[in-house]
Amino acid sequence: MIISVNPNFSLNPSSLTQSPSKTAHKIDVSLISSIVSMTHKPRRRCDYYDLHKELIPYVEAWSWQKAIVKERKSLSENSEDFSDALIILQHQPVYTLGTRGSEEYLNFDVKSPPFDLYRTERGGEVTFHGPGQLVMYPIINLKYHKMDLHWYLRALEEVVIRVLSVTFSIDASRVDGLTGVWVGDQKLAAIGIRVSRWITYHGLALNVTTDITPFNQIVPCGIRDRQVGSIKGLLGENLSSNGHRGANNDHTDDCKLIDIAYKSLVREFCDVFQLDLQPKFSPFGLFHGKTVNLPS
């Protein structure tokens, strides 16, 4: 897809017109079942769109989110908003800027970017999305959780911190005054959100097996004195320093690593936000809008 980008960037995503893949996904029912059974008390439903193995063009996912948000607003006005939503996917290579993001953090000519470039309505500065990076787009009505944007950002960070600790034995943390998740001076997860009438969209991006090279063309998140890292890179560093593979570090295959990280992200997300997943079909020609019955 060729997009002409001028100094004002593109503010209006195109409509959903193409299916990026003809391959249907098998939903991980065992994962969803285990999450559903984690607690017996009633929890808010979450419509779940699993595209974690797909490379979705950014502009199409952007349009999709906005369509869901529009629908949720209408339902909320009529007191019929009974569920949240979660989209998880990978993107084709793309740079995105927040609504007030500065061009000074771009190390290329905006008229001839290395990849497609969009200015969006999310917060934050410039970042890169690409293969090997798991992107989560929660569309949550905070009226049913906590009407506090700082709480919501910290909750998203908590999801990633738990994933890194529990699944990969990586000690991650927050940095005062900055949004995201860090291991030392390396940022592994970027977070940028938009909230309209207390309904959230955009979300977080976790570098799993991501090629870090495209980040050299920007100042990621406008932070000059820190680096970008990935789970794969940190696990490789750990292997090199220890000289052997630990019990939790046998993740050298990229596809396996993506799957492990994806399952952990979904589990921790449901636990942090106290949500039950309801698998749904995406608009990309994969599932045709029907739900999946979970085993009892």
Side-chain angles (χ1 to χ4, degrees):
M1 180 173 63
I2 299 175
I3 297 175
S4 176
V5 181
N6 59 37
N8 293 321
F9 303 105
S10 172
L11 292 171
N12 298 312
S14 61
S15 61
L16 299 172
T17 58
Q18 297 180 351
S19 172
S21 171
K22 300 295 185 181
T23 304
H25 280 276
K26 294 181 179 179
I27 293 180
D28 191 336
V29 176
S30 63
L31 167 65
I32 297 167
S33 180
S34 68
I35 294 169
V36 170
S37 64
M38 286 171 64
T39 179
H40 295 292
K41 72 176 184 178
R43 303 202 291 186
R44 186 166 164 82
R45 191 182 75 195
C46 181
D47 295 339
Y48 175 53
Y49 302 90
D50 175 17
L51 297 166
H52 80 280
K53 293 183 179 180
E54 292 289 329
L55 293 179
I56 306 298
Y58 182 84
V59 71
E60 297 190 5
W62 188 13
S63 293
W64 183 18
Q65 288 182 77
K66 293 171 81 171
I68 295 176
V69 170
K70 182 179 180 180
E71 179 185 23
R72 293 298 187 206
K73 285 180 180 178
S74 177
L75 292 171
S76 182
E77 289 172 357
N78 297 315
S79 300
E80 297 175 349
D81 186 11
F82 302 126
S83 66
D84 294 318
L86 173 65
I87 302 168
I88 185 165
L89 47 72
Q90 298 179 56
H91 279 306
Q92 295 175 358
V94 64
Y95 292 112
T96 69
L97 271 167
T99 186
R100 295 185 180 87
S102 174
E103 295 177 24
E104 70 176 284
Y105 298 126
L106 306 178
N107 299 327
F108 52 77
D109 183 349
V110 296
K111 296 180 180 180
S112 183
F115 303 110
D116 291 341
L117 174 65
Y118 296 98
R119 185 183 291 279
T120 78
E121 65 276 279
R122 67 164 172 81
E125 292 288 345
V126 64
T127 194
F128 168 78
H129 299 302
Q133 182 189 78
L134 288 174
V135 180
M136 295 182 73
Y137 291 129
I139 300 173
I140 291 179
N141 191 333
L142 293 180
K143 292 178 181 178
Y144 298 97
H145 296 270
K146 189 172 183 178
M147 295 166 66
D148 184 330
L149 299 189
H150 293 289
W151 170 85
Y152 180 60
L153 290 170
R154 303 295 82 77
L156 290 178
E157 291 169 347
E158 181 66 19
V159 170
V160 178
I161 289 171
R162 291 187 185 190
V163 168
L164 295 175
S165 174
V166 173
T167 302
F168 299 104
S169 298
I170 293 173
D171 186 14
S173 63
R174 300 174 177 86
V175 173
D176 288 343
L178 300 176
T179 300
V181 176
W182 308 78
V183 178
D185 68 348
Q186 296 185 45
K187 189 172 189 177
L188 265 67
I191 296 174
I193 66 167
R194 174 77 173 185
V195 179
S196 178
R197 299 184 196 171
W198 294 108
I199 297 175
T200 72
Y201 60 118
H202 294 285
L204 69 85
L206 174 62
N207 296 323
V208 183
T209 64
T210 322
D211 177 10
I212 303 301
T213 305
F215 285 98
N216 295 333
Q217 297 292 318
I218 60 176
V219 179
C221 303
I223 304 171
R224 297 186 182 277
D225 60 348
R226 292 177 181 267
Q227 305 173 22
V228 173
S230 69
I231 293 175
K232 182 178 180 180
L234 287 175
L235 294 177
E237 290 175 9
N238 188 55
L239 285 175
S240 298
S241 62
N242 292 339
H244 61 85
R245 181 177 288 116
N248 292 324
N249 292 328
D250 189 15
H251 307 312
T252 54
D253 179 83
D254 282 8
C255 291
K256 180 180 178 182
L257 189 55
I258 287 286
D259 282 343
I260 292 170
Y262 141 74
K263 291 178 181 180
S264 185
L265 270 172
V266 174
R267 285 195 181 95
E268 298 302 338
F269 174 82
C270 289
D271 190 48
V272 168
F273 287 96
Q274 290 294 287
L275 293 167
D276 281 338
L277 295 183
Q278 177 68 38
K280 302 284 283 186
F281 294 91
S282 84
F284 293 101
L286 293 175
F287 301 124
H288 315 297
K290 298 179 181 178
T291 60
V292 171
N293 293 324
L294 299 178
S296 58

